[in-house]
Coordinates of all heavy atoms in Angstrom, one line a residue:
M1 N 0.1 1.9 17.9 CA 0.0 0.6 17.2 C 1.4 0.0 17.1 O 2.3 0.6 16.6 CB -0.6 0.7 15.8 CG -0.8 -0.6 15.1 SD -1.6 -0.4 13.5 CE -3.3 -0.3 13.9
A2 N 1.6 -1.2 17.6 CA 2.9 -1.9 17.7 C 3.4 -2.2 16.3 O 4.6 -2.1 16.1 CB 2.8 -3.2 18.5
T3 N 2.5 -2.5 15.4 CA 3.0 -2.8 14.0 C 3.6 -1.6 13.4 O 4.6 -1.6 12.7 CB 1.9 -3.3 13.1 OG1 1.2 -4.4 13.8 CG2 2.4 -3.8 11.8
F4 N 3.0 -0.4 13.6 CA 3.5 0.8 13.0 C 4.9 1.1 13.6 O 5.8 1.5 12.9 CB 2.6 2.0 13.3 CG 3.0 3.3 12.7 CD1 3.0 3.4 11.3 CD2 3.5 4.3 13.4 CE1 3.4 4.6 10.7 CE2 4.0 5.5 12.8 CZ 3.9 5.6 11.5
D5 N 5.1 0.9 14.9 CA 6.4 1.0 15.5 C 7.4 0.1 14.8 O 8.6 0.5 14.6 CB 6.4 0.8 17.0 CG 5.6 1.9 17.7 OD1 5.5 3.0 17.1 OD2 5.1 1.7 18.8
A6 N 7.0 -1.1 14.6 CA 7.9 -2.1 13.9 C 8.3 -1.6 12.5 O 9.5 -1.7 12.1 CB 7.2 -3.5 13.9
V7 N 7.4 -1.1 11.8 CA 7.7 -0.6 10.4 C 8.6 0.6 10.5 O 9.5 0.7 9.7 CB 6.4 -0.2 9.7 CG1 6.7 0.6 8.4 CG2 5.5 -1.4 9.4
R8 N 8.5 1.5 11.5 CA 9.4 2.6 11.7 C 10.8 2.1 12.0 O 11.8 2.7 11.6 CB 8.9 3.6 12.7 CG 7.7 4.4 12.2 CD 7.4 5.5 13.1 NE 7.7 5.3 14.5 CZ 7.1 5.9 15.5 NH1 6.3 6.9 15.2 NH2 7.4 5.6 16.8
C9 N 10.9 1.0 12.8 CA 12.2 0.5 13.2 C 12.8 -0.3 12.1 O 14.0 -0.4 12.0 CB 12.0 -0.4 14.4 SG 11.6 0.5 15.9
R10 N 12.0 -0.9 11.2 CA 12.5 -1.7 10.1 C 11.9 -1.3 8.8 O 11.2 -2.0 8.1 CB 12.2 -3.2 10.4 CG 13.0 -3.7 11.6 CD 12.7 -5.2 11.9 NE 12.1 -6.0 10.9 CZ 11.3 -7.0 11.3 NH1 11.0 -7.3 12.5 NH2 10.8 -7.8 10.3
P11 N 12.2 0.0 8.4 CA 11.5 0.5 7.2 C 11.9 -0.2 5.9 O 11.1 0.0 4.9 CB 12.0 2.0 7.2 CG 13.3 1.9 7.9 CD 13.2 0.9 8.9
D12 N 12.9 -1.0 5.8 CA 13.3 -1.7 4.6 C 12.8 -3.1 4.6 O 13.3 -3.9 3.7 CB 14.9 -1.6 4.5 CG 15.4 -0.2 4.3 OD1 14.6 0.6 3.8 OD2 16.5 0.0 4.7
D13 N 11.9 -3.5 5.4 CA 11.4 -4.8 5.5 C 10.1 -4.9 4.7 O 9.0 -4.5 5.2 CB 11.2 -5.2 6.9 CG 10.8 -6.7 7.1 OD1 10.2 -7.3 6.2 OD2 11.0 -7.3 8.2
A14 N 10.2 -5.4 3.4 CA 9.0 -5.4 2.5 C 8.0 -6.3 3.1 O 6.8 -6.0 3.0 CB 9.5 -5.8 1.1
D15 N 8.3 -7.5 3.6 CA 7.4 -8.4 4.2 C 6.6 -7.8 5.3 O 5.4 -8.0 5.4 CB 8.0 -9.7 4.6 CG 8.7 -10.4 3.4 OD1 8.1 -10.4 2.3 OD2 9.7 -11.0 3.6
L16 N 7.3 -7.1 6.2 CA 6.6 -6.4 7.3 C 5.6 -5.4 6.8 O 4.5 -5.3 7.3 CB 7.6 -5.8 8.2 CG 7.1 -5.1 9.4 CD1 6.3 -6.0 10.3 CD2 8.2 -4.4 10.2
R17 N 6.0 -4.6 5.8 CA 5.1 -3.6 5.2 C 3.9 -4.2 4.6 O 2.8 -3.7 4.7 CB 5.9 -2.7 4.2 CG 6.8 -1.7 4.9 CD 7.4 -0.8 3.9 NE 8.2 0.2 4.6 CZ 7.8 1.4 4.9 NH1 6.6 1.7 4.7 NH2 8.6 2.2 5.5
M18 N 4.1 -5.4 3.9 CA 3.0 -6.1 3.3 C 2.0 -6.5 4.4 O 0.8 -6.4 4.2 CB 3.5 -7.2 2.5 CG 2.4 -7.9 1.7 SD 1.5 -6.9 0.5 CE 2.9 -6.6 -0.7
S19 N 2.5 -7.1 5.4 CA 1.6 -7.5 6.5 C 0.9 -6.3 7.2 O -0.3 -6.4 7.5 CB 2.4 -8.2 7.6 OG 3.0 -9.4 7.1
F20 N 1.6 -5.2 7.3 CA 1.0 -4.0 7.9 C -0.1 -3.5 7.0 O -1.2 -3.1 7.4 CB 2.1 -3.0 8.1 CG 1.6 -1.7 8.8 CD1 0.7 -1.8 9.9 CD2 2.2 -0.5 8.5 CE1 0.4 -0.7 10.6 CE2 1.8 0.6 9.2 CZ 0.9 0.6 10.2
A21 N 0.2 -3.6 5.6 CA -0.9 -3.1 4.7 C -2.1 -3.9 4.8 O -3.2 -3.4 4.8 CB -0.3 -3.2 3.3
K22 N -2.0 -5.2 4.9 CA -3.2 -6.1 5.1 C -3.9 -5.7 6.4 O -5.2 -5.7 6.4 CB -2.7 -7.5 5.1 CG -2.3 -8.0 3.7 CD -1.7 -9.4 3.8 CE -1.1 -9.8 2.5 NZ -0.5 -11.2 2.5
T23 N -3.2 -5.5 7.5 CA -3.8 -5.1 8.7 C -4.6 -3.8 8.6 O -5.7 -3.7 9.0 CB -2.8 -5.1 9.8 OG1 -2.1 -6.3 10.0 CG2 -3.4 -4.7 11.2
L24 N -3.9 -2.8 8.0 CA -4.6 -1.5 7.8 C -5.8 -1.7 6.9 O -6.9 -1.0 7.2 CB -3.6 -0.6 7.1 CG -2.5 -0.1 8.0 CD1 -1.4 0.6 7.1 CD2 -3.0 0.9 9.0
E25 N -5.8 -2.5 5.9 CA -6.9 -2.7 5.0 C -8.1 -3.3 5.8 O -9.2 -2.9 5.7 CB -6.6 -3.5 3.8 CG -7.7 -3.7 2.9 CD -7.4 -4.5 1.6 OE1 -6.3 -5.0 1.5 OE2 -8.3 -4.6 0.8
E26 N -7.8 -4.3 6.6 CA -8.8 -5.0 7.4 C -9.4 -4.1 8.4 O -10.6 -4.2 8.8 CB -8.2 -6.2 8.2 CG -7.8 -7.3 7.2 CD -7.0 -8.4 7.9 OE1 -6.8 -8.3 9.2 OE2 -6.6 -9.4 7.2
T27 N -8.7 -3.1 8.9 CA -9.2 -2.1 9.9 C -9.9 -0.9 9.3 O -10.4 -0.1 9.9 CB -8.1 -1.7 10.9 OG1 -7.1 -1.0 10.2 CG2 -7.6 -2.8 11.7
G28 N -9.8 -0.9 7.9 CA -10.5 0.2 7.2 C -9.7 1.4 6.8 O -10.2 2.3 6.2
D29 N -8.4 1.4 7.1 CA -7.6 2.5 6.8 C -7.0 2.3 5.4 O -5.8 1.9 5.2 CB -6.4 2.7 7.8 CG -5.7 4.0 7.6 OD1 -5.9 4.6 6.5 OD2 -5.0 4.4 8.5
K30 N -7.8 2.5 4.4 CA -7.5 2.1 3.0 C -6.4 3.0 2.4 O -5.5 2.6 1.6 CB -8.7 2.2 2.1 CG -9.7 1.1 2.5 CD -11.0 1.2 1.8 CE -12.0 0.2 2.3 NZ -13.3 0.3 1.7
E31 N -6.4 4.3 2.8 CA -5.3 5.2 2.3 C -3.9 4.7 2.8 O -3.0 4.6 2.0 CB -5.6 6.6 2.8 CG -4.6 7.6 2.2 CD -4.9 9.0 2.6 OE1 -5.9 9.3 3.2 OE2 -4.1 9.9 2.1
Q32 N -3.8 4.4 4.1 CA -2.5 4.0 4.6 C -2.1 2.6 4.1 O -1.0 2.3 3.8 CB -2.5 4.0 6.1 CG -2.3 5.4 6.7 CD -1.0 6.0 6.2 OE1 0.0 5.4 6.3 NE2 -1.1 7.3 5.9
A33 N -3.2 1.7 3.9 CA -2.9 0.4 3.3 C -2.3 0.5 1.9 O -1.3 -0.2 1.6 CB -4.2 -0.4 3.3
G34 N -2.8 1.4 1.1 CA -2.3 1.6 -0.2 C -0.8 2.1 -0.2 O 0.0 1.6 -1.0
I35 N -0.6 3.0 0.7 CA 0.8 3.5 0.9 C 1.8 2.3 1.2 O 2.8 2.2 0.7 CB 0.8 4.6 1.9 CG1 0.1 5.8 1.4 CG2 2.3 4.9 2.3 CD1 -0.2 6.9 2.4
Q36 N 1.3 1.5 2.2 CA 2.2 0.4 2.6 C 2.4 -0.7 1.5 O 3.5 -1.2 1.4 CB 1.7 -0.2 3.9 CG 1.7 0.7 5.1 CD 3.1 1.2 5.4 OE1 4.1 0.5 5.3 NE2 3.2 2.5 5.7
Y37 N 1.3 -1.0 0.8 CA 1.4 -1.9 -0.3 C 2.5 -1.4 -1.3 O 3.4 -2.1 -1.8 CB 0.1 -2.1 -1.1 CG -0.8 -3.1 -0.4 CD1 -2.1 -2.7 0.0 CD2 -0.5 -4.4 -0.3 CE1 -3.0 -3.6 0.5 CE2 -1.3 -5.4 0.3 CZ -2.6 -4.9 0.7 OH -3.5 -5.9 1.2
R38 N 2.4 -0.1 -1.7 CA 3.3 0.5 -2.7 C 4.7 0.5 -2.1 O 5.7 0.3 -2.9 CB 2.8 1.8 -3.1 CG 1.6 1.8 -4.0 CD 1.0 3.2 -4.3 NE -0.2 3.0 -5.1 CZ -1.4 2.7 -4.6 NH1 -1.5 2.5 -3.3 NH2 -2.4 2.6 -5.4
A39 N 4.9 0.8 -0.8 CA 6.2 0.8 -0.2 C 6.8 -0.6 -0.3 O 8.0 -0.7 -0.6 CB 6.1 1.3 1.2
A40 N 6.1 -1.6 0.0 CA 6.6 -3.0 -0.1 C 7.1 -3.3 -1.5 O 8.1 -3.9 -1.7 CB 5.5 -4.0 0.3
I41 N 6.3 -2.9 -2.5 CA 6.7 -3.1 -3.9 C 8.0 -2.3 -4.3 O 8.8 -2.8 -5.0 CB 5.6 -2.8 -4.8 CG1 4.5 -3.9 -4.6 CG2 6.0 -2.8 -6.3 CD1 3.2 -3.6 -5.3
E42 N 8.0 -1.1 -3.8 CA 9.2 -0.3 -4.1 C 10.5 -0.9 -3.5 O 11.6 -0.9 -4.1 CB 9.1 1.1 -3.5 CG 8.2 2.0 -4.4 CD 8.1 3.4 -3.8 OE1 9.0 3.8 -3.1 OE2 7.0 4.0 -4.0
L43 N 10.3 -1.5 -2.3 CA 11.5 -2.2 -1.7 C 11.9 -3.5 -2.4 O 13.1 -3.8 -2.5 CB 11.2 -2.5 -0.2 CG 11.1 -1.3 0.7 CD1 10.4 -1.7 2.0 CD2 12.4 -0.7 0.9
K44 N 10.9 -4.2 -2.9 CA 11.2 -5.5 -3.5 C 10.3 -5.6 -4.8 O 9.3 -6.4 -4.8 CB 10.9 -6.7 -2.6 CG 11.9 -6.9 -1.5 CD 11.7 -8.2 -0.9 CE 12.8 -8.6 0.1 NZ 12.5 -9.8 0.8
P45 N 10.6 -4.9 -5.8 CA 9.8 -5.0 -7.0 C 9.8 -6.4 -7.7 O 8.9 -6.7 -8.4 CB 10.4 -3.9 -8.0 CG 11.8 -3.6 -7.4 CD 11.7 -4.0 -6.0
E46 N 10.7 -7.2 -7.4 CA 10.8 -8.5 -8.0 C 9.8 -9.5 -7.3 O 9.6 -10.6 -7.9 CB 12.2 -9.1 -7.8 CG 12.6 -9.5 -6.4 CD 13.2 -8.3 -5.6 OE1 13.2 -7.2 -6.0 OE2 13.6 -8.6 -4.5
L47 N 9.2 -9.1 -6.2 CA 8.2 -10.0 -5.6 C 6.9 -9.9 -6.3 O 6.1 -9.0 -6.2 CB 8.0 -9.5 -4.1 CG 9.1 -9.8 -3.2 CD1 8.7 -9.4 -1.8 CD2 9.4 -11.3 -3.1
E48 N 6.6 -10.9 -7.1 CA 5.4 -11.0 -7.9 C 4.1 -11.0 -7.0 O 3.1 -10.3 -7.3 CB 5.4 -12.2 -8.7 CG 4.2 -12.3 -9.7 CD 4.3 -13.5 -10.6 OE1 5.4 -13.8 -11.1 OE2 3.3 -14.1 -10.9
K49 N 4.2 -11.6 -5.8 CA 3.1 -11.7 -4.9 C 2.8 -10.3 -4.4 O 1.6 -10.0 -4.3 CB 3.5 -12.6 -3.7 CG 2.3 -12.7 -2.7 CD 2.6 -13.8 -1.7 CE 1.5 -14.0 -0.7 NZ 0.2 -14.1 -1.1
S50 N 3.7 -9.4 -4.2 CA 3.5 -8.1 -3.7 C 2.7 -7.3 -4.8 O 1.7 -6.6 -4.5 CB 4.8 -7.3 -3.4 OG 5.4 -7.9 -2.4
Q51 N 3.1 -7.5 -6.0 CA 2.4 -6.8 -7.1 C 0.9 -7.3 -7.2 O 0.0 -6.5 -7.4 CB 3.1 -7.0 -8.4 CG 2.5 -6.2 -9.6 CD 2.5 -4.7 -9.4 OE1 3.5 -4.2 -8.9 NE2 1.5 -4.0 -9.8
E52 N 0.8 -8.6 -7.1 CA -0.6 -9.2 -7.1 C -1.4 -8.7 -5.9 O -2.6 -8.4 -6.1 CB -0.5 -10.7 -7.0 CG 0.1 -11.3 -8.3 CD 0.4 -12.8 -8.2 OE1 0.2 -13.4 -7.1 OE2 0.9 -13.4 -9.1
E53 N -0.9 -8.6 -4.8 CA -1.6 -8.0 -3.6 C -2.0 -6.6 -3.8 O -3.1 -6.2 -3.5 CB -0.7 -8.1 -2.3 CG -0.4 -9.5 -1.8 CD -1.6 -10.1 -1.1 OE1 -2.6 -9.4 -0.7 OE2 -1.6 -11.3 -1.0
L54 N -1.2 -5.8 -4.4 CA -1.5 -4.4 -4.7 C -2.6 -4.3 -5.7 O -3.6 -3.6 -5.5 CB -0.3 -3.6 -5.2 CG -0.6 -2.2 -5.7 CD1 -1.2 -1.4 -4.5 CD2 0.6 -1.5 -6.2
E55 N -2.6 -5.1 -6.8 CA -3.6 -5.1 -7.8 C -4.9 -5.6 -7.2 O -6.0 -5.0 -7.5 CB -3.2 -6.0 -9.0 CG -2.1 -5.4 -9.8 CD -1.5 -6.4 -10.8 OE1 -2.0 -7.5 -10.9 OE2 -0.5 -6.0 -11.4
A56 N -4.9 -6.6 -6.3 CA -6.1 -7.1 -5.7 C -6.7 -6.0 -4.8 O -7.9 -5.8 -4.7 CB -5.9 -8.4 -4.9
F57 N -5.8 -5.3 -4.0 CA -6.2 -4.2 -3.2 C -6.9 -3.1 -4.0 O -8.0 -2.7 -3.6 CB -5.0 -3.7 -2.4 CG -5.3 -2.3 -1.7 CD1 -6.0 -2.3 -0.6 CD2 -4.8 -1.2 -2.3 CE1 -6.3 -1.1 0.1 CE2 -5.1 0.0 -1.6 CZ -5.8 0.1 -0.5
E58 N -6.3 -2.7 -5.1 CA -6.9 -1.7 -5.9 C -8.2 -2.1 -6.5 O -9.1 -1.2 -6.7 CB -5.9 -1.2 -7.0 CG -4.7 -0.5 -6.4 CD -3.7 0.0 -7.4 OE1 -3.6 -0.6 -8.5 OE2 -2.9 0.9 -7.0
E59 N -8.4 -3.3 -6.8 CA -9.7 -3.8 -7.3 C -10.8 -3.7 -6.2 O -11.9 -3.5 -6.5 CB -9.6 -5.2 -7.8 CG -8.8 -5.3 -9.1 CD -8.7 -6.7 -9.6 OE1 -9.3 -7.7 -9.0 OE2 -7.9 -6.9 -10.5
R60 N -10.4 -3.9 -4.9 CA -11.3 -3.9 -3.8 C -11.7 -2.5 -3.4 O -12.7 -2.3 -2.7 CB -10.7 -4.6 -2.6 CG -10.6 -6.1 -2.8 CD -10.2 -6.8 -1.5 NE -8.9 -6.4 -1.0 CZ -7.8 -7.0 -1.2 NH1 -7.7 -8.0 -2.1 NH2 -6.6 -6.6 -0.7
V61 N -10.8 -1.5 -3.7 CA -11.0 -0.2 -3.2 C -11.7 0.7 -4.2 O -11.3 0.7 -5.4 CB -9.7 0.5 -2.8 CG1 -9.8 1.9 -2.4 CG2 -9.0 -0.3 -1.7
E62 N -12.7 1.4 -3.8 CA -13.4 2.3 -4.7 C -12.5 3.5 -4.9 O -11.8 3.9 -3.9 CB -14.7 2.7 -4.1 CG -15.7 1.6 -4.0 CD -16.2 1.1 -5.3 OE1 -16.4 1.9 -6.2 OE2 -16.4 -0.1 -5.5
P63 N -12.5 4.2 -6.0 CA -11.7 5.4 -6.2 C -11.8 6.4 -5.1 O -10.8 7.0 -4.7 CB -12.1 5.9 -7.6 CG -12.7 4.7 -8.3 CD -13.3 3.8 -7.2
D64 N -13.0 6.7 -4.6 CA -13.2 7.7 -3.6 C -12.6 7.2 -2.2 O -12.4 8.0 -1.3 CB -14.6 8.1 -3.4 CG -15.1 8.9 -4.6 OD1 -14.3 9.4 -5.3 OD2 -16.3 8.9 -4.8
D65 N -12.4 5.9 -2.0 CA -11.8 5.4 -0.8 C -10.3 5.5 -0.7 O -9.7 5.2 0.3 CB -12.2 3.9 -0.6 CG -13.7 3.8 -0.3 OD1 -14.3 4.8 0.1 OD2 -14.3 2.7 -0.4
R66 N -9.7 5.9 -1.8 CA -8.2 5.9 -1.8 C -7.6 7.1 -1.1 O -6.4 7.1 -0.8 CB -7.7 5.8 -3.2 CG -8.1 4.5 -3.9 CD -7.5 4.3 -5.2 NE -7.9 3.1 -5.8 CZ -8.1 2.9 -7.0 NH1 -7.9 3.8 -7.9 NH2 -8.5 1.7 -7.4
G67 N -8.4 8.0 -0.8 CA -8.0 9.2 -0.1 C -7.4 10.3 -1.0 O -7.0 10.0 -2.1
P68 N -7.4 11.5 -0.5 CA -6.9 12.6 -1.3 C -5.5 12.5 -1.8 O -5.2 12.9 -2.9 CB -7.1 13.8 -0.5 CG -7.2 13.3 0.9 CD -7.7 11.9 0.8
V69 N -4.6 12.0 -1.0 CA -3.2 11.9 -1.4 C -3.0 10.9 -2.5 O -2.4 11.2 -3.6 CB -2.3 11.5 -0.2 CG1 -0.9 11.3 -0.6 CG2 -2.4 12.6 0.9
L70 N -3.6 9.7 -2.4 CA -3.5 8.7 -3.5 C -4.2 9.2 -4.8 O -3.7 8.9 -5.8 CB -4.0 7.4 -3.0 CG -3.2 6.7 -1.9 CD1 -3.9 5.4 -1.5 CD2 -1.8 6.5 -2.4
R71 N -5.3 9.9 -4.6 CA -6.0 10.4 -5.8 C -5.1 11.4 -6.5 O -5.0 11.4 -7.8 CB -7.4 11.0 -5.5 CG -8.4 10.0 -5.2 CD -9.8 10.6 -5.2 NE -10.0 11.6 -4.2 CZ -10.3 11.5 -3.0 NH1 -10.6 10.3 -2.5 NH2 -10.5 12.5 -2.2
A72 N -4.5 12.3 -5.8 CA -3.6 13.3 -6.4 C -2.4 12.6 -7.1 O -2.1 13.0 -8.2 CB -3.1 14.2 -5.3
L73 N -1.8 11.6 -6.4 CA -0.7 10.9 -7.0 C -1.1 10.2 -8.3 O -0.4 10.2 -9.3 CB -0.1 9.9 -6.1 CG 0.7 10.5 -4.9 CD1 1.1 9.4 -3.9 CD2 2.0 11.2 -5.4
K74 N -2.3 9.5 -8.2 CA -2.8 8.8 -9.4 C -3.0 9.8 -10.6 O -2.7 9.5 -11.7 CB -4.0 8.0 -9.1 CG -4.5 7.2 -10.2 CD -5.6 6.3 -9.8 CE -6.0 5.5 -11.0 NZ -7.1 4.6 -10.8
S75 N -3.6 11.0 -10.3 CA -3.9 11.9 -11.3 C -2.6 12.4 -12.0 O -2.6 12.7 -13.2 CB -4.7 13.1 -10.8 OG -3.9 13.9 -9.9
L76 N -1.5 12.5 -11.3 CA -0.2 12.9 -11.9 C 0.3 11.9 -12.9 O 0.8 12.3 -13.9 CB 0.9 13.0 -10.8 CG 0.7 14.2 -9.8 CD1 1.8 14.1 -8.7 CD2 0.9 15.5 -10.5
F77 N 0.0 10.6 -12.7 CA 0.5 9.6 -13.6 C -0.5 9.4 -14.8 O -0.1 8.8 -15.8 CB 0.6 8.2 -12.9 CG 1.8 8.3 -11.9 CD1 1.6 8.3 -10.6 CD2 3.1 8.3 -12.4 CE1 2.7 8.4 -9.7 CE2 4.2 8.4 -11.5 CZ 4.0 8.4 -10.2
N78 N -1.7 9.9 -14.6 CA -2.7 9.7 -15.7 C -2.9 10.9 -16.6 O -3.8 10.9 -17.4 CB -4.1 9.3 -15.1 CG -4.1 8.0 -14.4 OD1 -3.4 7.1 -14.9 ND2 -4.9 7.8 -13.4
R79 N -2.0 11.8 -16.5 CA -2.0 13.0 -17.4 C -1.6 12.6 -18.8 O -0.7 11.8 -19.0 CB -1.1 14.1 -16.8 CG -1.7 14.7 -15.6 CD -0.8 15.9 -15.2 NE -1.4 16.5 -14.0 CZ -0.9 17.5 -13.3 NH1 0.2 18.0 -13.8 NH2 -1.5 17.9 -12.3
P80 N -2.3 13.2 -19.8 CA -1.9 12.9 -21.2 C -0.6 13.5 -21.6 O 0.0 14.4 -21.0 CB -3.0 13.6 -22.0 CG -3.9 14.4 -21.1 CD -3.4 14.1 -19.7

């Protein structure tokens, strides 16, 4: 996939990662889409639009669709 190659060549490009996340979500790869949304926010946390996109993504994704890696990460943050 050409977009994946672009992300590997420009890993610090938050806008590219956000576009890649949307493409992955549209193609059904919800686990990787979540990873790319979060990577975009980590690169540019000041981008309010990125945070809104992530929140909208998480509302669209059922918990079981997030994949085992994301479920495990989420469980680490939700511990009492």
Side-chain angles (χ1 to χ4, degrees):
M1 178 180 280
T3 307
F4 185 70
D5 290 337
V7 170
R8 287 193 325 202
C9 291
R10 295 178 16 210
D12 296 331
D13 187 333
D15 295 324
L16 179 61
R17 285 184 177 269
M18 185 61 67
S19 296
F20 188 38
K22 290 176 186 176
T23 301
L24 288 165
E25 184 178 2
E26 289 171 4
T27 61
D29 192 344
K30 295 174 184 173
E31 183 175 0
Q32 284 298 316
I35 290 168
Q36 294 303 321
Y37 277 121
R38 286 173 184 80
I41 291 171
E42 284 181 26
L43 290 168
K44 283 191 174 178
E46 69 278 4
L47 288 181
E48 188 174 318
K49 182 168 176 56
S50 296
Q51 185 63 39
E52 291 170 0
E53 290 284 342
L54 175 59
E55 290 169 4
F57 167 75
E58 288 180 338
E59 288 176 10
R60 292 188 298 268
V61 176
E62 295 293 321
D64 289 339
D65 289 341
R66 293 187 183 147
V69 173
L70 291 179
R71 282 195 303 272
L73 288 172
K74 186 174 180 179
S75 69
L76 289 174
F77 291 108
N78 290 331
R79 289 186 177 177

